[in-house]
Amino acid sequence: MKKILRMAALAAPIAGSVVLAAGVLCYLAGARVNTSKSIPVGLYWTSDRPVERGAYVVLCPPQVGVVAEALRRDYLPAGFCPGGYGFMMKKVVALKEDVVDISDAGVAVNGALLPLSAPLRQDAAGRPMPRYQATHFVIGNSEVLLMSDVSSTSFDGRYIGPVNRAQIEAVIVPVLVRHDERPIHPPPARPAQHH
């Protein structure tokens, strides 16, 4: 029994090192894992696809006061981006020359209100949420507006505003993601079948 325990004690660090090395290799090859509520949870792969409306992207957040405060409040993780921020993953919802309006009802792009986009007045701790200062603006040539398409509580463009395309590391493509299968409204009842 002691021999088995000794072998297990030796094998555990080796197995951990193998798993860590495999994770690093997958990351270097382009794998990205999302565990946040910003986009569907799961495995993504970086690509050379263009940054266009509807694409998911991974980016380093801009080094602005509102993002620094978000890090202090634990809305964002710490990481290896400039400023000590972790990477963000969001969906591109607006590009150059798109007209954006931010109101209490939410974020509208070219007149269409985005679902789940109403800014929160306060966070879970009761602190007032920041608001992007402009309520009506046009996206510039080198800008994009990034939002969540799956969470009403994501820290995104409704608070940060547009970001420069240079912040984007890559467009990411879903490989294996979990979608919320629950319907928003219950499905209609089936008519009774008579046999």
Side-chain angles (χ1 to χ4, degrees):
M1 183 67 170
K2 286 184 179 178
K3 186 175 182 181
I4 293 172
L5 289 174
R6 222 176 304 131
M7 288 176 64
L10 291 172
I14 293 170
S17 297
V18 169
V19 169
L20 179 62
V24 169
L25 288 174
C26 286
Y27 182 86
L28 293 173
R32 299 294 183 269
V33 176
N34 176 53
T35 59
S36 77
K37 297 185 296 183
S38 293
I39 62 175
V41 171
L43 175 66
Y44 293 78
W45 208 263
T46 58
S47 75
D48 57 359
R49 293 183 182 181
V51 174
E52 56 191 13
R53 188 177 288 103
Y56 290 122
V57 296
V58 60
L59 70 144
C60 279
Q63 294 186 64
V64 294
V66 68
V67 176
E69 182 62 22
L71 181 63
R72 280 191 291 277
R73 293 183 180 189
D74 292 325
Y75 303 162
L76 303 175
F80 300 107
C81 288
Y85 307 129
F87 286 108
M88 296 173 75
M89 295 180 184
K90 303 290 179 191
K91 186 174 188 176
V92 177
V93 297
L95 300 162
K96 99 175 169 178
E97 298 181 4
D98 284 336
V99 178
V100 177
D101 290 286
I102 302 177
S103 69
D104 289 341
V107 177
V109 177
N110 299 326
L113 187 64
L114 302 176
L116 306 171
S117 67
L120 299 175
R121 292 186 183 276
Q122 58 185 19
D123 65 13
R127 297 169 293 199
M129 288 294 290
R131 287 286 286 268
Y132 185 62
Q133 296 305 306
T135 56
H136 176 86
F137 53 93
V138 177
I139 301 294
N141 290 343
S142 60
E143 295 177 325
V144 292
L145 186 68
L146 305 173
M147 300 280 296
S148 170
D149 63 342
V150 294
S151 174
S152 62
T153 60
S154 177
F155 187 75
D156 54 25
R158 70 193 102 182
Y159 307 109
I160 302 171
V163 299
N164 194 295
R165 285 174 173 260
Q167 303 292 138
I168 295 173
E169 178 193 271
V171 171
I172 52 176
V173 178
V175 175
L176 184 62
V177 297
R178 185 186 77 202
H179 293 282
D180 189 356
E181 299 285 331
R182 292 172 296 159
I184 294 173
H185 302 288
R190 287 186 179 180
Q193 302 218 351
H194 302 287
H195 296 285

